[in-house]
Amino acid sequence: MEGTRPLGGMEDLTPFSTPDTVDSRVGTLEFRDGAPADATAALLYDHLDFLHGVEAFLGSLRVASLAAVRRGFLAAGVEDGEFMLFPELMDSSSLFLTANCDTIYFWGFIDLGRGPVVVEVPALRAPSGILGTIDDMWFRWVTDVGLPGPDRGEGGRYLLVGPDYEGPLPDSGYHVFHCRTRRATLIGRAFMIDNDPAIPVQVIREGIKVHPYVPGAYGTAVASFLSGNAPLGAAQPAPETVFVEASGMPVNTLFPNDFGYWELVHEALQQDPPDAGDPELLGLLASVGIANGEPFAPDARMRKILEDAVEVGNATARTITFAARPEEGFAYYPDSQWQSALFVGGYEFLDPPPAITAQGPVPSVSNGARKLDSATNFFYMATGITPAMCMRLTGIGSQYIFAMRDSQGEFMDGSRSYRLTLPPDIPESRFWSLLLYDNQTRSMLRTDQQFPRVGSQSGTIQSNADGSTDIYFGPTAPAGMESNWLQTVPGKGWWTILRLYNPLEPFFEKTWQPSEIQPI
């Protein structure tokens, strides 16, 4: 028939066809003219569910991590609206991902499910100050408080509005921020004064307030009531804030690495409206049976797949954290073991932080891609996210670089001794410190030293004649250098973070660089 093409005239479709037998990394796959055999389909669905499980594990680390922190707080008797306070600093008795023992922590969860909540933050001025961050329950940044926040250390009222609230808001008088989840977390750190936490602790106790917002009261003009835009409310006295002292208390905030991980994530998803999460990750979780408003009841096949996915996902996250490939770009200095995963994608894991010039900040060139391995690296070993942790602005905030390997590229061995040299003029305008962490828990290393850190706050650091500083690591202290020594544990791996509070230009210009960690 005219206009038809004879079968014999078709071009060769071999490059576009699937052969009847395919030898793949998951086994031999069989097809009949492109249609999968039943056994092949079952094998591939098992593999697909496993792939989704691994990706869901990596993507939900931030959700599981914060849910685990809140679970640990509840177990320690800290309810929503209350704060865990470390008046004598945090030490290695608690399990917190890369927490420090340099600053005074106060940390709490705020319930927004019953309406907006006011958080009052006190003024805490130099030589102290507060570095605070409010994140939602997906560890997405909401705002900073204190020195990097809109109150800039002068104190202020923050009004947090949850996803369910549709009522009136004040005309002024508050720093208003909207949160996509029904809870938020406030992570606060205050600086000691002359190595003494007493005054900042008192200011925190007396000045941190959490109470419901009263529509139409403070912040709402009478004119707004008269125009019908708001009710006329009366301010209520703020209740006394509950602080649970946790210095020396064994608190566990780590997420599990077994099937309980999925149960924790499922529980977390039920706390918020469906659109509180990122659709792509919610889709991955739904594909393995975890969804908002639905029970989590995997059959035996799916449970085994999810158990395997946790094992591989955890091993993958650990590898991205401890053995990052050079092409990830985490190295802070060329050919160095000192790293920072945040500088490749910033606090949103999208773009590097902007350059700071005399004309103001200059945004980096974006390729639009989420830096997934940077996010995995960060959330597997750390908690809390804020632009203040990743910015090239001097004299404010804090910057961290970490080292998992020594100068020879080997992981640090608690049985061996090492030396690190910090060149003169360490680029900080507040203080610097080095802390040791346990490879397994990513929390402070437990040794005979209650506080596994040395730094400029120690008051006993010895410097060399040229102004440089040698720091020693090992199971025993070198004679005469006990004040510059951090203890390690034979048979246990460790790593370290160098913290610079209020960093200076040589750090960002990379004209100042610590030595590699040298085995002795």
Side-chain angles (χ1 to χ4, degrees):
M1 183 168 128
E2 188 177 354
T4 61
R5 185 176 186 180
L7 185 62
M10 291 182 66
E11 67 273 19
D12 182 12
L13 294 180
T14 301
F16 312 103
S17 301
T18 299
D20 290 345
T21 301
V22 177
D23 292 323
S24 75
R25 67 187 303 163
V26 298
T28 300
L29 310 177
E30 297 182 350
F31 298 85
R32 175 176 291 182
D33 194 25
D38 289 345
T40 291
L43 175 63
L44 290 174
Y45 275 120
D46 282 351
H47 182 58
L48 180 63
D49 288 339
F50 173 74
L51 291 178
H52 285 165
V54 172
E55 290 293 339
F57 176 91
L58 297 176
S60 61
L61 282 172
R62 56 175 61 196
V63 180
S65 183
L66 199 46
V69 175
R70 182 169 177 266
R71 177 182 288 184
F73 277 40
L74 293 173
V78 185
E79 301 292 332
D80 293 344
E82 302 175 352
F83 285 86
M84 188 174 287
L85 176 66
F86 294 83
E88 298 177 10
L89 306 181
M90 190 185 296
D91 61 26
S92 58
S93 60
S94 289
L95 296 178
F96 281 80
L97 294 179
T98 56
N100 70 67
C101 47
D102 298 308
T103 59
I104 304 150
Y105 275 95
F106 60 98
W107 191 339
F109 290 86
I110 301 160
D111 186 355
L112 307 177
R114 288 171 289 186
V117 173
V118 177
V119 179
E120 297 183 24
V121 177
L124 190 55
R125 301 180 179 89
S128 187
I130 289 173
L131 286 178
T133 298
I134 296 176
D135 290 338
D136 74 8
M137 295 302 289
W138 280 59
F139 258 138
R140 291 173 298 216
W141 179 67
V142 176
T143 185
D144 291 324
V145 304
L147 294 173
D151 69 277
R152 300 302 299 276
E154 297 298 321
R157 292 181 174 94
Y158 288 78
L159 180 58
L160 303 181
V161 183
D164 305 311
Y165 183 72
E166 298 179 353
L169 293 173
D171 301 317
S172 63
Y174 295 89
H175 305 296
V176 180
F177 293 93
H178 293 261
C179 187
R180 290 172 61 183
T181 56
R182 292 188 178 117
R183 286 187 180 87
T185 188
L186 168 56
I187 308 171
R189 295 164 294 157
F191 297 123
M192 293 187 287
I193 299 175
D194 296 329
N195 216 23
D196 185 353
I199 293 177
V201 166
Q202 180 181 357
V203 172
I204 290 167
R205 286 187 184 280
E206 295 175 354
I208 295 291
K209 304 291 184 184
V210 177
H211 53 88
Y213 167 66
V214 179
Y218 173 84
T220 298
V222 172
S224 295
F225 165 71
L226 296 175
S227 63
N229 293 325
L232 195 61
Q236 303 295 319
E240 183 177 351
T241 304
V242 174
F243 291 95
V244 177
E245 293 192 6
S247 292
M249 180 190 296
V251 180
N252 183 0
T253 67
L254 304 184
F255 53 84
N257 292 327
D258 56 17
F259 187 77
Y261 179 92
W262 301 116
E263 296 172 322
L264 181 64
V265 172
H266 177 262
E267 179 184 342
L269 260 60
Q270 310 315 306
Q271 309 298 314
D272 289 304
D275 60 355
D278 298 328
E280 291 78 9
L281 178 55
L282 291 175
L284 279 171
L285 290 168
S287 72
V288 296
I290 297 174
N292 185 285
E294 298 181 14
F296 177 49
D299 59 20
R301 180 194 77 91
M302 197 64 199
R303 184 182 178 99
K304 178 62 170 64
I305 288 173
L306 288 175
E307 289 171 346
D308 292 345
V310 168
E311 290 180 351
V312 174
N314 175 63
T316 302
R318 182 170 287 276
T319 298
I320 292 171
T321 301
F322 284 86
R325 296 173 293 190
E327 53 265 35
E328 301 286 0
F330 296 165
Y332 191 71
Y333 305 98
D335 303 318
S336 173
Q337 299 298 340
W338 290 102
Q339 301 181 46
S340 174
L342 282 179
F343 277 89
V344 302
Y347 76 98
E348 292 184 301
F349 309 98
L350 277 172
D351 306 314
I356 305 299
T357 71
Q359 291 72 42
V362 177
S364 58
V365 177
S366 175
N367 64 3
R370 185 85 63 187
K371 312 307 184 288
L372 299 178
D373 289 351
S374 173
T376 296
N377 176 294
F378 182 82
F379 286 111
Y380 192 72
M381 70 171 179
T383 50
I385 193 69
T386 164
M389 297 174 69
C390 183
M391 59 182 179
R392 297 187 172 97
L393 191 62
T394 60
I396 191 170
S398 54
Q399 296 298 322
Y400 318 129
I401 52 176
F402 58 90
M404 267 80 174
R405 300 177 189 256
D406 65 19
S407 60
Q408 300 174 2
E410 301 294 331
F411 292 113
M412 260 76 83
D413 181 350
S415 305
R416 301 190 64 181
S417 294
Y418 301 83
R419 180 177 60 246
L420 163 69
T421 299
L422 301 176
D425 301 320
I426 298 172
E428 48 78 18
S429 57
R430 190 175 284 271
F431 68 88
W432 65 268
S433 76
L434 277 157
L435 269 80
L436 294 194
Y437 295 96
D438 184 317
N439 281 3
Q440 287 284 3
T441 65
R442 292 92 70 204
S443 302
M444 282 186 255
L445 185 67
R446 291 179 175 175
T447 68
D448 294 333
Q449 293 175 321
Q450 181 185 11
F451 302 113
R453 56 104 162 117
V454 295
S456 56
Q457 291 194 131
S458 303
T460 56
I461 292 292
Q462 301 180 48
S463 297
N464 301 320
D466 65 354
S468 64
T469 305
D470 290 330
I471 305 297
Y472 296 87
F473 312 91
T476 58
M481 295 301 294
E482 290 82 0
S483 62
N484 290 36
W485 166 69
L486 283 168
Q487 185 179 16
T488 61
V489 181
K492 174 153 277 302
W494 60 272
W495 54 289
T496 188
I497 294 180
L498 172 61
R499 286 175 165 86
L500 303 174
Y501 286 86
N502 293 14
L504 300 176
E505 197 63 34
F507 173 74
F508 298 110
E509 292 179 345
K510 303 182 183 179
T511 55
W512 182 92
Q513 179 177 345
S515 77
E516 301 302 298
I517 298 176
Q518 303 282 348
I520 301 175

